Amino acid sequence: MSPTPHNPQYDPTSHLRLTPEDIEAPQRVTRLRELGLGENPVPEFDEFARELARITGAPYAMVNFIDENRQYFAGLYTPDEHQAGVELGPAPEAPQPGRVMARDHGYCPHVVVRRKALVLEDVCDYPRFAGNPVVDEIGIRSYLGAPLIDRTGMALGTICVVAQEPRPWGRQGLDTIKSMAARLVDQIHRRETDGL
């Protein structure tokens, strides 16, 4: 696919691909509906996000499900635990993350499409990621995320942590985020088995 000004997946000024093409999105939406996920907060996922933030030492943690147009944080932990249900967007002061974010914001869509964990100790060190809207709009400088690979083989979404300053996540951070993702997938499967 060549970069063109009419293709919204490319930044016309730099021709860097900002949001990856996600051909699994329609099937993911169907699977998320089967699981009853991606439309409402899940208290146990909020608790999971809290634990993820504690373990990694990150100020923000999310359990994120992604459809064709948006990301939904069914689990969310923020420093003041203000968990608003509004869309995240530009604001004159530093905004708090809400439950909904556009699909072209952040790094989780990359994790879902590549189906691998992503470690960005300083997003500004990576030209491909430095131009993401979350850098300027909410000051994100560091990201650590892993995909939630369902028993069907589908990447349902991600778990991630972010910080507003560079963080040396290292190999330990990568191992932690991957093991926590596997743990949450087991929890999702238990919910499915229990009919939740």
Side-chain angles (χ1 to χ4, degrees):
M1 179 182 292
S2 63
T4 68
H6 304 292
N7 185 337
Q9 294 179 11
Y10 287 88
D11 174 34
T13 58
S14 68
H15 301 293
L16 291 177
R17 188 177 180 100
L18 298 178
T19 305
E21 184 178 2
D22 185 357
I23 60 173
E24 279 191 345
Q27 294 88 355
R28 180 179 315 110
V29 169
T30 299
R31 180 67 178 139
L32 288 172
R33 283 190 185 128
E34 288 172 4
L35 294 168
L37 298 174
E39 295 291 325
N40 296 297
V42 178
E44 64 192 85
F45 293 173
D46 283 342
E47 189 54 42
F48 181 91
R50 174 195 303 278
E51 183 180 359
L52 183 60
R54 182 186 59 75
I55 289 170
T56 61
Y60 302 92
M62 297 90 160
V63 175
N64 186 7
F65 298 110
I66 301 172
D67 66 23
E68 296 104 327
N69 303 306
R70 68 176 191 148
Q71 304 175 68
Y72 186 81
F73 303 128
L76 177 64
Y77 176 80
T78 66
D80 66 2
E81 295 192 36
H82 171 71
Q83 298 170 356
V86 298
E87 293 219 17
L88 181 63
E93 55 199 64
Q96 290 292 318
R99 293 277 180 179
V100 177
M101 191 163 71
R103 194 178 162 277
D104 65 349
H105 282 53
Y107 309 104
C108 290
H110 294 271
V111 172
V112 164
V113 169
R114 59 187 249 150
R115 304 169 61 83
K116 292 162 96 174
L118 179 62
V119 179
L120 300 172
E121 294 185 342
D122 185 344
V123 298
C124 295
D125 289 343
Y126 302 89
R128 177 179 182 189
F129 298 117
N132 193 284
V134 297
V135 176
D136 292 332
E137 291 177 14
I138 57 175
I140 298 303
R141 286 289 302 274
S142 189
Y143 172 91
L144 177 64
L148 298 169
I149 307 292
D150 185 34
R151 63 176 175 75
T152 65
M154 174 140 333
L156 300 174
T158 68
I159 62 168
C160 71
V161 293
V162 298
Q164 293 173 314
E165 69 280 333
R167 288 285 179 104
W169 304 114
R171 182 69 196 191
Q172 181 179 358
L174 176 63
D175 291 344
T176 297
I177 201 78
K178 287 165 68 174
S179 68
M180 291 292 284
R183 189 174 121 192
L184 187 62
V185 168
D186 288 343
Q187 192 172 336
I188 289 168
H189 292 157
R190 282 194 307 276
R191 284 172 53 88
E192 181 181 25
T193 302
D194 295 344
L196 297 177

